[in-house]
Short mmCIF file of all heavy atoms in Angstrom, two decimals:
data_model
loop_
_atom_site.label_atom_id
_atom_site.label_comp_id
_atom_site.label_asym_id
_atom_site.label_seq_id
_atom_site.Cartn_x
_atom_site.Cartn_y
_atom_site.Cartn_z
N MET Z 122 0.84 -1.20 0.00
CA MET Z 122 0.00 0.00 0.00
C MET Z 122 0.88 1.25 0.00
O MET Z 122 1.81 1.36 0.76
CB MET Z 122 -0.88 0.00 1.25
CG MET Z 122 -1.98 1.03 1.19
SD MET Z 122 -2.98 0.98 2.69
CE MET Z 122 -2.58 2.56 3.37
N ARG Z 123 0.57 2.18 -0.84
CA ARG Z 123 1.36 3.40 -0.92
C ARG Z 123 0.87 4.44 0.07
O ARG Z 123 -0.32 4.61 0.27
CB ARG Z 123 1.29 3.97 -2.34
CG ARG Z 123 1.95 3.09 -3.37
CD ARG Z 123 2.32 3.88 -4.59
NE ARG Z 123 1.18 4.61 -5.14
CZ ARG Z 123 1.27 5.46 -6.15
NH1 ARG Z 123 2.42 5.68 -6.73
NH2 ARG Z 123 0.21 6.09 -6.60
N LYS Z 124 1.83 5.13 0.65
CA LYS Z 124 1.49 6.22 1.55
C LYS Z 124 2.10 7.50 1.04
O LYS Z 124 3.08 7.48 0.30
CB LYS Z 124 2.04 5.92 2.95
CG LYS Z 124 1.45 4.70 3.59
CD LYS Z 124 2.14 4.44 4.91
CE LYS Z 124 1.59 3.19 5.57
NZ LYS Z 124 2.27 2.89 6.84
N LYS Z 125 1.55 8.60 1.48
CA LYS Z 125 2.08 9.90 1.07
C LYS Z 125 2.90 10.51 2.18
O LYS Z 125 2.60 10.33 3.36
CB LYS Z 125 0.93 10.84 0.72
CG LYS Z 125 0.50 10.79 -0.72
CD LYS Z 125 -0.52 11.88 -0.99
CE LYS Z 125 -0.89 11.91 -2.45
NZ LYS Z 125 -1.89 12.96 -2.72
N VAL Z 126 3.90 11.27 1.78
CA VAL Z 126 4.70 12.02 2.75
C VAL Z 126 3.91 13.26 3.16
O VAL Z 126 3.42 14.01 2.31
CB VAL Z 126 6.05 12.44 2.13
CG1 VAL Z 126 6.81 13.37 3.07
CG2 VAL Z 126 6.89 11.20 1.83
N LYS Z 127 3.79 13.47 4.46
CA LYS Z 127 3.08 14.64 4.96
C LYS Z 127 4.03 15.62 5.62
O LYS Z 127 4.96 15.23 6.31
CB LYS Z 127 2.04 14.22 6.01
CG LYS Z 127 0.68 13.92 5.44
CD LYS Z 127 -0.30 13.75 6.58
CE LYS Z 127 -1.66 13.32 6.07
NZ LYS Z 127 -2.63 13.16 7.17
N CYS Z 128 3.77 16.88 5.44
CA CYS Z 128 4.55 17.90 6.12
C CYS Z 128 4.25 17.86 7.62
O CYS Z 128 3.08 17.86 8.01
CB CYS Z 128 4.18 19.28 5.56
SG CYS Z 128 4.93 20.63 6.49
N PRO Z 129 5.30 17.81 8.47
CA PRO Z 129 5.08 17.76 9.92
C PRO Z 129 4.58 19.08 10.50
O PRO Z 129 4.12 19.14 11.63
CB PRO Z 129 6.46 17.40 10.47
CG PRO Z 129 7.42 17.92 9.46
CD PRO Z 129 6.73 17.77 8.12
N TYR Z 130 4.69 20.15 9.74
CA TYR Z 130 4.28 21.47 10.25
C TYR Z 130 2.82 21.78 9.94
O TYR Z 130 2.08 22.23 10.80
CB TYR Z 130 5.17 22.56 9.64
CG TYR Z 130 6.63 22.39 9.98
CD1 TYR Z 130 7.54 22.00 9.02
CD2 TYR Z 130 7.09 22.61 11.29
CE1 TYR Z 130 8.89 21.83 9.32
CE2 TYR Z 130 8.42 22.44 11.62
CZ TYR Z 130 9.32 22.06 10.63
OH TYR Z 130 10.64 21.88 10.95
N CYS Z 131 2.41 21.55 8.71
CA CYS Z 131 1.05 21.94 8.33
C CYS Z 131 0.19 20.75 7.90
O CYS Z 131 -1.01 20.90 7.70
CB CYS Z 131 1.09 22.98 7.21
SG CYS Z 131 1.65 22.32 5.63
N GLY Z 132 0.81 19.59 7.74
CA GLY Z 132 0.02 18.42 7.37
C GLY Z 132 -0.26 18.30 5.88
O GLY Z 132 -0.99 17.41 5.46
N TYR Z 133 0.35 19.17 5.10
CA TYR Z 133 0.15 19.13 3.66
C TYR Z 133 0.68 17.82 3.09
O TYR Z 133 1.78 17.39 3.44
CB TYR Z 133 0.88 20.31 3.01
CG TYR Z 133 0.71 20.39 1.51
CD1 TYR Z 133 -0.36 21.08 0.96
CD2 TYR Z 133 1.63 19.79 0.65
CE1 TYR Z 133 -0.52 21.15 -0.41
CE2 TYR Z 133 1.47 19.86 -0.72
CZ TYR Z 133 0.40 20.54 -1.24
OH TYR Z 133 0.24 20.61 -2.60
N GLU Z 134 -0.08 17.19 2.25
CA GLU Z 134 0.34 15.93 1.66
C GLU Z 134 1.16 16.19 0.41
O GLU Z 134 0.66 16.71 -0.59
CB GLU Z 134 -0.87 15.07 1.31
CG GLU Z 134 -1.53 14.49 2.53
CD GLU Z 134 -2.56 13.46 2.17
OE1 GLU Z 134 -3.04 13.47 1.03
OE2 GLU Z 134 -2.90 12.64 3.03
N MET Z 135 2.43 15.82 0.48
CA MET Z 135 3.32 16.02 -0.65
C MET Z 135 3.06 14.95 -1.70
O MET Z 135 2.66 13.83 -1.38
CB MET Z 135 4.77 15.93 -0.18
CG MET Z 135 5.11 16.88 0.95
SD MET Z 135 5.08 18.60 0.45
CE MET Z 135 6.60 18.69 -0.47
N PRO Z 136 3.30 15.27 -2.97
CA PRO Z 136 3.12 14.27 -4.02
C PRO Z 136 4.30 13.30 -4.08
O PRO Z 136 4.92 13.14 -5.11
CB PRO Z 136 2.99 15.12 -5.30
CG PRO Z 136 3.80 16.33 -5.00
CD PRO Z 136 3.64 16.58 -3.51
N ILE Z 137 4.61 12.74 -2.92
CA ILE Z 137 5.70 11.77 -2.82
C ILE Z 137 5.14 10.52 -2.14
O ILE Z 137 4.56 10.61 -1.06
CB ILE Z 137 6.87 12.35 -1.99
CG1 ILE Z 137 7.43 13.59 -2.68
CG2 ILE Z 137 7.96 11.29 -1.79
CD1 ILE Z 137 8.39 14.38 -1.81
N PHE Z 138 5.33 9.39 -2.79
CA PHE Z 138 4.74 8.17 -2.26
C PHE Z 138 5.82 7.20 -1.76
O PHE Z 138 6.93 7.17 -2.27
CB PHE Z 138 3.93 7.47 -3.36
CG PHE Z 138 2.78 8.27 -3.84
CD1 PHE Z 138 2.91 9.14 -4.91
CD2 PHE Z 138 1.54 8.16 -3.22
CE1 PHE Z 138 1.84 9.88 -5.36
CE2 PHE Z 138 0.46 8.90 -3.67
CZ PHE Z 138 0.61 9.76 -4.74
N TYR Z 139 5.45 6.46 -0.75
CA TYR Z 139 6.34 5.39 -0.27
C TYR Z 139 5.49 4.23 0.21
O TYR Z 139 4.29 4.39 0.46
CB TYR Z 139 7.24 5.91 0.85
CG TYR Z 139 6.52 6.32 2.11
CD1 TYR Z 139 6.41 5.43 3.18
CD2 TYR Z 139 5.97 7.59 2.25
CE1 TYR Z 139 5.78 5.80 4.36
CE2 TYR Z 139 5.34 7.97 3.41
CZ TYR Z 139 5.23 7.08 4.46
OH TYR Z 139 4.60 7.43 5.61
N ASP Z 140 6.12 3.07 0.33
CA ASP Z 140 5.38 1.92 0.86
C ASP Z 140 6.04 1.40 2.13
O ASP Z 140 7.03 1.96 2.60
CB ASP Z 140 5.20 0.82 -0.19
CG ASP Z 140 6.52 0.21 -0.61
OD1 ASP Z 140 7.46 0.20 0.20
OD2 ASP Z 140 6.61 -0.26 -1.76
N GLU Z 141 5.52 0.34 2.68
CA GLU Z 141 5.98 -0.14 3.99
C GLU Z 141 7.45 -0.55 3.99
O GLU Z 141 8.09 -0.61 5.03
CB GLU Z 141 5.16 -1.34 4.47
CG GLU Z 141 3.66 -1.19 4.32
CD GLU Z 141 3.21 -1.67 2.95
OE1 GLU Z 141 3.35 -2.87 2.69
OE2 GLU Z 141 2.75 -0.85 2.16
N LYS Z 142 7.97 -0.86 2.84
CA LYS Z 142 9.35 -1.33 2.77
C LYS Z 142 10.34 -0.18 2.57
O LYS Z 142 11.55 -0.41 2.51
CB LYS Z 142 9.50 -2.34 1.63
CG LYS Z 142 8.77 -3.64 1.92
CD LYS Z 142 8.87 -4.58 0.74
CE LYS Z 142 8.07 -5.86 1.02
NZ LYS Z 142 8.01 -6.72 -0.17
N SER Z 143 9.84 1.01 2.45
CA SER Z 143 10.72 2.15 2.21
C SER Z 143 11.51 2.51 3.46
O SER Z 143 11.01 2.42 4.58
CB SER Z 143 9.89 3.37 1.80
OG SER Z 143 9.18 3.09 0.63
N VAL Z 144 12.74 2.92 3.24
CA VAL Z 144 13.58 3.45 4.32
C VAL Z 144 14.20 4.73 3.80
O VAL Z 144 14.73 4.78 2.69
CB VAL Z 144 14.70 2.47 4.71
CG1 VAL Z 144 15.55 3.07 5.82
CG2 VAL Z 144 14.13 1.14 5.15
N CYS Z 145 14.11 5.80 4.58
CA CYS Z 145 14.63 7.07 4.10
C CYS Z 145 15.10 7.94 5.26
O CYS Z 145 14.46 8.01 6.29
CB CYS Z 145 13.52 7.81 3.34
SG CYS Z 145 14.03 9.43 2.79
N LYS Z 146 16.24 8.58 5.07
CA LYS Z 146 16.67 9.60 6.01
C LYS Z 146 17.64 10.53 5.29
O LYS Z 146 18.25 10.16 4.29
CB LYS Z 146 17.33 8.99 7.25
CG LYS Z 146 18.60 8.24 6.96
CD LYS Z 146 19.21 7.74 8.26
CE LYS Z 146 20.49 6.96 7.99
NZ LYS Z 146 21.12 6.49 9.23
N GLY Z 147 17.78 11.72 5.81
CA GLY Z 147 18.70 12.67 5.21
C GLY Z 147 18.20 13.30 3.92
O GLY Z 147 18.96 13.97 3.23
N LEU Z 148 16.93 13.11 3.63
CA LEU Z 148 16.37 13.71 2.42
C LEU Z 148 15.50 14.90 2.83
O LEU Z 148 14.53 14.74 3.55
CB LEU Z 148 15.55 12.68 1.66
CG LEU Z 148 14.88 13.15 0.38
CD1 LEU Z 148 15.91 13.58 -0.65
CD2 LEU Z 148 14.03 12.05 -0.21
N THR Z 149 15.89 16.07 2.39
CA THR Z 149 15.16 17.27 2.77
C THR Z 149 14.39 17.83 1.58
O THR Z 149 14.91 17.93 0.48
CB THR Z 149 16.14 18.35 3.26
OG1 THR Z 149 16.88 17.83 4.37
CG2 THR Z 149 15.41 19.60 3.70
N ILE Z 150 13.15 18.18 1.82
CA ILE Z 150 12.33 18.78 0.77
C ILE Z 150 11.62 20.01 1.33
O ILE Z 150 11.53 20.19 2.54
CB ILE Z 150 11.27 17.80 0.22
CG1 ILE Z 150 10.38 17.28 1.35
CG2 ILE Z 150 11.93 16.66 -0.51
CD1 ILE Z 150 9.15 16.57 0.85
N ARG Z 151 11.13 20.81 0.43
CA ARG Z 151 10.40 22.01 0.85
C ARG Z 151 8.91 21.76 0.69
O ARG Z 151 8.45 21.27 -0.34
CB ARG Z 151 10.83 23.19 -0.01
CG ARG Z 151 10.30 24.52 0.51
CD ARG Z 151 10.70 25.66 -0.40
NE ARG Z 151 12.16 25.85 -0.45
CZ ARG Z 151 12.84 26.57 0.45
NH1 ARG Z 151 12.21 27.17 1.44
NH2 ARG Z 151 14.14 26.69 0.35
N CYS Z 152 8.18 22.10 1.73
CA CYS Z 152 6.73 21.93 1.72
C CYS Z 152 6.10 22.81 0.64
O CYS Z 152 6.52 23.94 0.42
CB CYS Z 152 6.16 22.29 3.08
SG CYS Z 152 4.37 22.18 3.15
N LYS Z 153 5.09 22.26 -0.02
CA LYS Z 153 4.40 23.02 -1.05
C LYS Z 153 3.12 23.68 -0.55
O LYS Z 153 2.36 24.24 -1.32
CB LYS Z 153 4.08 22.10 -2.23
CG LYS Z 153 5.32 21.77 -3.05
CD LYS Z 153 4.93 21.06 -4.33
CE LYS Z 153 6.14 20.89 -5.23
NZ LYS Z 153 5.78 20.21 -6.49
N GLY Z 154 2.90 23.55 0.75
CA GLY Z 154 1.73 24.19 1.32
C GLY Z 154 1.80 25.70 1.12
O GLY Z 154 2.87 26.29 1.25
N ARG Z 155 0.69 26.30 0.84
CA ARG Z 155 0.67 27.74 0.49
C ARG Z 155 1.28 28.63 1.55
O ARG Z 155 2.03 29.55 1.27
CB ARG Z 155 -0.77 28.19 0.25
CG ARG Z 155 -1.27 27.80 -1.11
CD ARG Z 155 -2.55 28.55 -1.42
NE ARG Z 155 -3.03 28.20 -2.75
CZ ARG Z 155 -4.05 28.81 -3.34
NH1 ARG Z 155 -4.69 29.76 -2.70
NH2 ARG Z 155 -4.42 28.46 -4.54
N ASN Z 156 0.94 28.38 2.80
CA ASN Z 156 1.42 29.26 3.87
C ASN Z 156 2.53 28.63 4.69
O ASN Z 156 2.81 29.07 5.79
CB ASN Z 156 0.25 29.62 4.79
CG ASN Z 156 -0.87 30.27 4.03
OD1 ASN Z 156 -0.65 31.17 3.23
ND2 ASN Z 156 -2.09 29.79 4.23
N CYS Z 157 3.14 27.61 4.15
CA CYS Z 157 4.14 26.88 4.93
C CYS Z 157 5.53 27.07 4.31
O CYS Z 157 6.32 27.86 4.78
CB CYS Z 157 3.75 25.41 4.99
SG CYS Z 157 4.80 24.43 6.04
N ARG Z 158 5.77 26.34 3.23
CA ARG Z 158 7.04 26.48 2.50
C ARG Z 158 8.27 26.15 3.33
O ARG Z 158 9.37 26.58 2.99
CB ARG Z 158 7.18 27.91 1.95
CG ARG Z 158 6.03 28.32 1.07
CD ARG Z 158 6.33 28.09 -0.37
NE ARG Z 158 5.13 28.29 -1.18
CZ ARG Z 158 5.01 27.87 -2.41
NH1 ARG Z 158 6.00 27.23 -2.98
NH2 ARG Z 158 3.92 28.05 -3.09
N ARG Z 159 8.10 25.45 4.43
CA ARG Z 159 9.24 25.11 5.25
C ARG Z 159 9.94 23.86 4.72
O ARG Z 159 9.32 23.03 4.07
CB ARG Z 159 8.79 24.85 6.69
CG ARG Z 159 8.35 26.11 7.38
CD ARG Z 159 8.67 25.98 8.84
NE ARG Z 159 7.44 26.09 9.63
CZ ARG Z 159 7.45 26.06 10.95
NH1 ARG Z 159 8.55 25.91 11.62
NH2 ARG Z 159 6.33 26.17 11.60
N GLU Z 160 11.22 23.80 5.05
CA GLU Z 160 11.96 22.60 4.68
C GLU Z 160 11.89 21.60 5.82
O GLU Z 160 11.94 21.98 6.99
CB GLU Z 160 13.42 22.94 4.39
CG GLU Z 160 13.60 23.65 3.07
CD GLU Z 160 15.08 23.84 2.72
OE1 GLU Z 160 15.93 23.54 3.56
OE2 GLU Z 160 15.35 24.30 1.61
N PHE Z 161 11.74 20.35 5.49
CA PHE Z 161 11.78 19.32 6.54
C PHE Z 161 12.43 18.07 5.98
O PHE Z 161 12.49 17.87 4.76
CB PHE Z 161 10.38 19.04 7.08
CG PHE Z 161 9.41 18.49 6.05
CD1 PHE Z 161 9.28 17.12 5.87
CD2 PHE Z 161 8.63 19.33 5.29
CE1 PHE Z 161 8.38 16.62 4.95
CE2 PHE Z 161 7.74 18.85 4.34
CZ PHE Z 161 7.61 17.47 4.18
N GLU Z 162 12.92 17.26 6.91
CA GLU Z 162 13.59 16.04 6.52
C GLU Z 162 12.61 14.89 6.50
O GLU Z 162 11.80 14.74 7.41
CB GLU Z 162 14.73 15.74 7.50
CG GLU Z 162 15.55 14.53 7.11
CD GLU Z 162 16.62 14.20 8.15
OE1 GLU Z 162 16.93 15.06 8.99
OE2 GLU Z 162 17.14 13.07 8.10
N ILE Z 163 12.67 14.12 5.44
CA ILE Z 163 11.81 12.94 5.36
C ILE Z 163 12.51 11.79 6.07
O ILE Z 163 13.62 11.42 5.72
CB ILE Z 163 11.56 12.55 3.89
CG1 ILE Z 163 10.86 13.69 3.16
CG2 ILE Z 163 10.73 11.27 3.82
CD1 ILE Z 163 10.74 13.44 1.66
N LYS Z 164 11.86 11.29 7.09
CA LYS Z 164 12.40 10.13 7.81
C LYS Z 164 11.38 9.00 7.77
O LYS Z 164 10.27 9.13 8.26
CB LYS Z 164 12.67 10.50 9.27
CG LYS Z 164 13.84 11.44 9.44
CD LYS Z 164 14.03 11.77 10.91
CE LYS Z 164 15.08 12.85 11.08
NZ LYS Z 164 15.13 13.32 12.49
N ILE Z 165 11.79 7.93 7.18
CA ILE Z 165 10.92 6.77 7.11
C ILE Z 165 11.70 5.56 7.64
O ILE Z 165 12.78 5.25 7.14
CB ILE Z 165 10.46 6.49 5.67
CG1 ILE Z 165 9.72 7.71 5.11
CG2 ILE Z 165 9.56 5.26 5.62
CD1 ILE Z 165 9.48 7.65 3.62
N LYS Z 166 11.16 4.95 8.66
CA LYS Z 166 11.84 3.80 9.24
C LYS Z 166 11.18 2.50 8.78
O LYS Z 166 9.96 2.42 8.67
CB LYS Z 166 11.77 3.86 10.77
CG LYS Z 166 12.70 4.90 11.36
CD LYS Z 166 12.60 4.85 12.88
CE LYS Z 166 13.43 5.96 13.51
NZ LYS Z 166 13.25 5.98 14.98
N ALA Z 167 12.01 1.52 8.57
CA ALA Z 167 11.48 0.19 8.25
C ALA Z 167 10.84 -0.40 9.50
O ALA Z 167 11.33 -0.18 10.60
CB ALA Z 167 12.60 -0.70 7.75
N LYS Z 168 9.77 -1.12 9.32
CA LYS Z 168 9.08 -1.71 10.48
C LYS Z 168 9.48 -3.16 10.68
O LYS Z 168 9.75 -3.84 9.72
CB LYS Z 168 7.57 -1.62 10.28
CG LYS Z 168 7.09 -0.20 10.42
CD LYS Z 168 5.58 -0.11 10.24
CE LYS Z 168 5.13 1.35 10.37
NZ LYS Z 168 3.70 1.48 10.06
ZN1 ZN M 358 3.97 22.41 5.39
#
């Protein structure tokens, strides 16, 4: 099942998908939310 990356500040759903097997750290993106635009690091841990 695919999940979307959400901004931790405003909850905006980024057009970036991952699944349960994804592992990610050290990847920084900028939020596309209209009033947010903050940068945050995507951290996805394997379960
Ligand atoms: Zn945001």
Side-chain angles (χ1 to χ4, degrees):
M122 192 180 114
R123 294 202 306 175
K124 297 176 181 178
K125 271 187 176 179
V126 173
K127 269 190 186 180
C128 172
Y130 300 109
C131 70
Y133 182 88
E134 288 190 339
M135 305 292 285
I137 299 169
F138 297 91
Y139 65 96
D140 65 28
E141 314 88 65
K142 292 177 183 173
S143 300
V144 179
C145 177
K146 64 177 179 179
L148 179 63
T149 302
I150 56 167
R151 189 182 297 275
C152 178
K153 286 190 173 181
R155 281 193 179 187
N156 303 313
C157 186
R158 304 265 171 197
R159 290 211 240 183
E160 286 186 353
F161 63 90
E162 184 184 343
I163 299 172
K164 290 179 187 172
I165 302 168
K166 286 183 185 175
K168 288 181 181 174

